[in-house]
Amino acid sequence: MKKTLLSIIALCWTVVAGAQNEIMTVVLQHGNDVSTFTGVNAFINANAEAVDGDVIILSSGSFNVSPITKSISVYGAGFEKDENSNTDVSKINGQLNLGVSGGETLANIHLEGISFNAAVNTYVPLEGFVMEKCYVNGNVNVGANSNTMIRNCVITGAIDGGNKLAENCIMQNCYIGGAINTFIAESNVKIDHCIACNLVGPYYCSNSIFPYYWVGAYYDRAAFANTEGAVVHNCIFRNFNYNNQDKNVFLDCYAVDIRDIFSDAQNATYSASRTFEIQQPGIWVGTDGQEIGIRYGWSKVPKTPVVTNLNTTVNGENLEVDYDAIVR
């Protein structure tokens, strides 16, 4: 409860600072201590002072990138503006690097509610890495990792395993524009309730939509065309015979023409306004009894508190703040 209250106060401080100075603000929370930084380099400066276990909270706005080399959590205001859910956009400009070349394993990095305009790249093994409700305009490279969760994210590029071993790597309720096929075959990778738009490796896949289909020299050039050993449960493909049927296991899957998958009769291209509702949610049902695709469990709303009815007045040298806050 105390940590939640501090987070509310920190976010309120962020909003007030932004309103007073009309610039972006970052809050660094270290135990019971709270510090603020302002301007386009606010994330760089907060990150430089952070230590393992600290929390960084970004206001809306665009911040310059800084490599993360500590076990910290970074929360933003969201990756898409939506008045209905009180989300705004916290953007980080430039490729985000996790760790430095030759460094030691990083544990418990948490990224949430952030839009990255370039790739997220890993230089060290990760333990307990979580990325939630983020937008990445590029690849996410997770390398050799254990206990990774990528959830409720939009990734325009690939999930890149770097030909390394992944232990318990889960992608859930994500839109992934690129391939997911570069973890070594012994990896434990799960893809669930996703839309994966390119080639997929020998992983466990459930309740997902795979719209990739390339017409050319290989008539069956689709999601699992180069794969052996995948187990695919209750998924939707384009209207073709499942590629490599004798080399992978397909259970209760559906072949559907691309224009007949989604209710808006469009292809699988991502846009903020699309709901990706499928045309037959009562028939195309997943292993968990829910409709196939990203909608079940999908959310763009980060866990940062929402500050409402914010009023500030200057009383001599003091700034008086009156607000309501809702924990999401």
Side-chain angles (χ1 to χ4, degrees):
M1 180 66 184
K2 189 172 185 180
K3 187 173 182 179
T4 300
L5 179 60
L6 283 170
S7 296
I8 293 173
I9 294 171
L11 184 64
C12 186
W13 195 351
T14 299
V15 174
V16 172
Q20 295 295 311
N21 299 291
E22 296 183 352
I23 55 177
M24 294 81 67
T25 309
V26 171
V27 169
L28 172 62
Q29 185 176 323
H30 173 71
N32 295 336
D33 298 327
V34 175
S35 305
T36 59
F37 306 82
T38 58
V40 295
N41 290 325
F43 173 62
I44 294 176
N45 296 330
N47 191 20
E49 292 197 15
V51 299
D52 289 349
D54 283 0
V55 177
I56 292 176
I57 302 174
L58 312 176
S59 72
S60 59
S62 295
F63 301 90
N64 290 332
V65 72
S66 176
I68 293 177
T69 59
K70 306 152 192 172
S71 299
I72 62 173
S73 298
V74 185
Y75 292 86
F79 70 81
E80 287 177 351
K81 187 174 180 63
D82 188 336
E83 293 182 358
N84 293 325
S85 59
N86 290 309
T87 56
D88 212 318
V89 179
S90 298
K91 180 180 288 186
I92 290 184
N93 295 313
Q95 177 175 294
L96 177 67
N97 295 328
L98 305 178
V100 294
S101 183
E104 298 180 352
T105 298
L106 277 175
N108 302 322
I109 293 176
H110 187 112
L111 305 175
E112 185 169 339
I114 306 168
S115 175
F116 298 93
N117 74 347
V120 175
N121 194 43
T122 301
Y123 284 102
V124 297
L126 299 177
E127 161 64 33
F129 172 62
V130 176
M131 174 182 282
E132 290 190 87
K133 299 161 187 176
C134 290
Y135 183 101
V136 180
N137 187 23
N139 294 350
V140 174
N141 181 302
V142 292
N145 64 83
S146 57
N147 301 316
T148 294
M149 172 62 77
I150 302 174
R151 179 168 49 203
N152 288 299
C153 291
V154 176
I155 298 164
T156 65
I159 304 290
D160 187 0
N163 296 313
K164 297 177 180 177
L165 178 67
E167 294 286 353
N168 193 30
C169 179
I170 300 174
M171 287 148 263
Q172 193 171 59
N173 293 100
C174 291
Y175 178 95
I176 303 163
I180 318 169
N181 67 340
T182 54
F183 298 94
I184 65 171
E186 295 78 14
S187 295
N188 179 9
V189 176
K190 297 180 181 180
I191 302 169
D192 181 65
H193 278 291
C194 291
I195 298 175
C197 300
N198 212 297
L199 298 173
V200 180
Y203 317 130
Y204 179 85
C205 306
S206 58
N207 315 319
S208 297
I209 299 173
F210 299 101
Y212 178 70
Y213 183 58
W214 181 73
V215 179
Y218 303 96
Y219 70 91
D220 62 349
R221 183 75 165 171
F224 295 88
N226 298 334
T227 296
E228 298 183 17
V231 178
V232 187
H233 284 260
N234 298 63
C235 293
I236 296 174
F237 295 82
R238 295 280 289 276
N239 192 13
F240 65 98
N241 292 327
Y242 306 136
N243 45 247
N244 278 358
Q245 289 190 60
D246 58 335
K247 298 178 181 178
N248 301 286
V249 177
F250 298 94
L251 300 171
D252 298 320
C253 292
Y254 303 88
V256 184
D257 185 81
I258 186 64
R259 299 289 180 179
D260 294 330
I261 296 177
F262 303 107
S263 294
D264 56 11
Q266 296 184 35
N267 60 23
T269 302
Y270 179 82
S271 73
S273 61
R274 293 192 68 184
T275 63
F276 289 105
E277 181 179 358
I278 58 177
Q279 291 194 23
Q280 300 189 67
I283 296 176
W284 302 334
V285 177
T287 58
D288 54 3
Q290 304 297 329
E291 67 179 83
I292 294 171
I294 67 172
R295 284 175 17 106
Y296 175 69
W298 171 252
S299 173
K300 302 178 184 179
V301 183
K303 291 192 287 288
T304 46
V306 177
V307 176
T308 62
N309 301 322
L310 178 65
N311 296 293
T312 61
T313 56
V314 177
N315 184 4
E317 295 182 354
N318 298 319
L319 177 66
E320 296 180 353
V321 180
D322 182 32
Y323 68 94
D324 294 323
I326 304 170
V327 178
R328 294 190 282 208

